[in-house]
Amino acid sequence: MKTYSIAKPHIGEKEIKAVIEVLKSGSLSLGPYYKKFEESFAKKIGVKFACAVSSGTAGLHLAMIAAGVREGDEIITSPFSFIASANCILYVGARPVFVDIDPATCNIDPEKIEEKITKKTKAILVAHIFGQTADMDPIRALAKKYDLKIIEDACESILAEYKGKKAGTFGESAVFAFYPNKQMTTGEGGMLVTDQEKIYKMACSLRNQGRSENMQWLDHRLLGYNYRMDEMSAALGLIQLQKIDWLIEERRKVAKLYEKHLFGHNDLLRLPVAVEGNTHTWFVYAVKIKNKKTNRNEVIEKMKNRGISAKPYLPSIHLFKFYREKFGFKNGDFPVSEEISRYSLALPLYIGLKEKDIKYISGELAGILKKIK
Ligand SMILES: *Cc1c(COP(=O)(O)O)cnc(C)c1O
């Protein structure tokens, strides 16, 4: 039986060559690829500065510190995201204030933000989920009206566009991630981008133990961290970045094939919605089961028996145990997010899946759903 994982990186000969070259060079950290990767990345996104870090989570932590977020502050964000986008708020002692999501895109619902703004609100941390940006015009209008910062978690949405403007260019800073399931990978890794030199310099210092700019090894001006990206990862990232448009185009083809083969089953499933005018870059292809009596986890189990990995995408952050305990969140707090968390599953999405694969996966899924019904 052929098996399908949920995600898979696409590593070519060029990447392998570049990493080997780094290994042979002996310059395994803070070498030439590091800078080249940062400069190319900034250029690709259309921002002035990019600071490579050891993970998306590390980048988000630095974005919070650089924004001056601290104890007592409230940060508005979405409960429907990967946990790192809320954890970074906790790292600096601030409070996540969740706002429910738009059921179509699974991104934060701008209409529900204003009622959550208080005197303590410092920023809106916008997570662009699944490869599509949030509805940024109303969010930017609110940020302006209440003098709030915008910080983007663009970890799932590299090169996604909103009305022609790229994810990562809407806020004071934005963070991308390169874990192997993302659209491009460095193994582990992330990138903080910004147009503000001050934020860039601070992030670069903080990732490197708070060292001052001239990199004197024993001069530590700030409480920093070791969030550096190693040179092998940077080399891998640079080559992946050179083919990112192709990587995304190939993902888009797979998404289109799912649409083609699942469309006939839209009585059983709600397919992902790409908002008109948006460029979707397909981090995952997540469908939502329509029948409320269906046990989604049972569907995932049955898919697994047929060699197909599917995953619950995503759990709502406020319902994780330590969020419940620390902040008193409970079932029913964010019903839209909770419903999608309960009935959604992500299907295999990676480069190399052919039409016959998608036809098989789609057919099996539909068959399972019909039988359970
Ligand atoms: C992947 C991801 C991150 C960061 O993940 P790392 O594993 O730390 O690189 C952050 N936020 C979201 C929404 C993500 O999907």
Side-chain angles (χ1 to χ4, degrees), residues 131-170:
Q132 178 164 233
T133 70
D135 188 7
M136 291 310 294
D137 281 349
I139 294 172
R140 286 212 288 181
L142 282 170
K144 198 163 173 214
K145 182 172 168 191
Y146 292 96
D147 193 25
L148 305 175
K149 297 181 179 213
I150 292 176
I151 292 153
E152 297 174 75
D153 177 345
C155 292
E156 298 189 359
S157 296
I158 185 169
L159 295 178
E161 286 180 18
Y162 174 84
K163 300 181 181 174
K165 195 169 155 58
K166 286 195 186 75
T169 63
F170 290 96

Side-chain angles (χ1 to χ4, degrees), residues 292-307:
K292 297 275 155 55
K293 290 190 199 109
T294 304
N295 179 338
R296 185 264 325 269
N297 294 346
E298 191 187 328
V299 176
I300 289 177
E301 198 52 40
K302 291 201 150 83
M303 297 279 280
K304 200 172 152 199
N305 296 337
R306 290 160 172 78

Side-chain angles (χ1 to χ4, degrees), residues 36-275:
K36 251 190 245 169
F37 181 35
E38 289 179 336
E39 283 163 19
S40 307
F41 197 86
K43 206 166 156 201
K44 187 77 192 168
I45 303 299
V47 290
K48 287 198 186 128
F49 306 104
C51 171
V53 288
S54 54
S55 70
T57 306
L60 288 166
H61 186 190
L62 298 188
M64 287 291 111
I65 300 171
V69 180
R70 51 176 177 240
E71 217 172 309
D73 291 337
E74 293 178 355
I75 306 298
I76 287 178
T77 194
S78 166
F80 192 80
S81 178
F82 181 58
I83 193 166
S85 69
N87 280 355
C88 67
I89 299 166
L90 274 60
Y91 292 163
V92 291
R95 188 183 187 87
V97 174
F98 293 118
V99 168
D100 213 348
I101 57 172
D102 171 348
T105 62
C106 303
N107 280 316
I108 194 165
D109 185 344
E111 288 191 3
K112 293 178 180 158
I113 292 175
E114 193 161 16
E115 66 201 56
K116 295 289 185 81
I117 295 173
T118 72
K119 284 206 173 67
K120 292 179 179 170
T121 310
K122 180 130 191 178
I124 306 174
L125 197 166
V126 184
H128 305 305
I129 286 303
F130 291 166
Q132 178 164 233
T133 70
D135 188 7
M136 291 310 294
D137 281 349
I139 294 172
R140 286 212 288 181
L142 282 170
K144 198 163 173 214
K145 182 172 168 191
Y146 292 96
D147 193 25
L148 305 175
K149 297 181 179 213
I150 292 176
I151 292 153
E152 297 174 75
D153 177 345
C155 292
E156 298 189 359
S157 296
I158 185 169
L159 295 178
E161 286 180 18
Y162 174 84
K163 300 181 181 174
K165 195 169 155 58
K166 286 195 186 75
T169 63
F170 290 96
E172 166 181 295
S173 65
V175 177
F176 294 86
F178 311 122
Y179 188 74
N181 67 344
K182 310 281 181 187
Q183 290 92 331
M184 62 170 274
T185 189
T186 60
E188 297 284 358
M191 192 75 84
L192 183 150
V193 303
T194 180
D195 276 331
Q196 295 183 32
E197 188 168 16
K198 207 175 124 203
I199 288 181
Y200 166 69
K201 284 191 168 160
M202 187 156 186
C204 288
S205 172
L206 289 169
R207 78 174 162 187
N208 196 17
Q209 309 286 12
R211 283 187 183 101
S212 59
E213 216 181 308
N214 60 10
M215 296 274 289
Q216 290 290 317
W217 276 89
L218 295 174
D219 186 7
H220 306 272
R221 303 237 162 125
L222 299 161
L223 172 64
Y225 303 86
N226 178 0
Y227 285 166
R228 296 185 302 264
M229 175 185 276
D230 67 73
E231 189 72 356
M232 288 76 75
S233 297
L236 178 51
L238 182 68
I239 309 296
Q240 289 261 295
L241 185 65
Q242 286 164 359
K243 64 180 193 190
I244 185 68
D245 293 323
W246 179 80
L247 290 169
I248 288 170
E249 200 40 53
E250 291 298 305
R251 296 180 85 82
R252 187 167 291 129
K253 282 183 193 161
V254 176
K256 282 223 170 94
L257 287 170
Y258 272 125
E259 200 174 287
K260 176 176 166 189
H261 289 282
L262 288 173
F263 189 74
H265 303 295
N266 61 10
D267 54 327
L268 303 168
L269 289 167
R270 207 203 61 189
L271 305 186
V273 177
V275 174

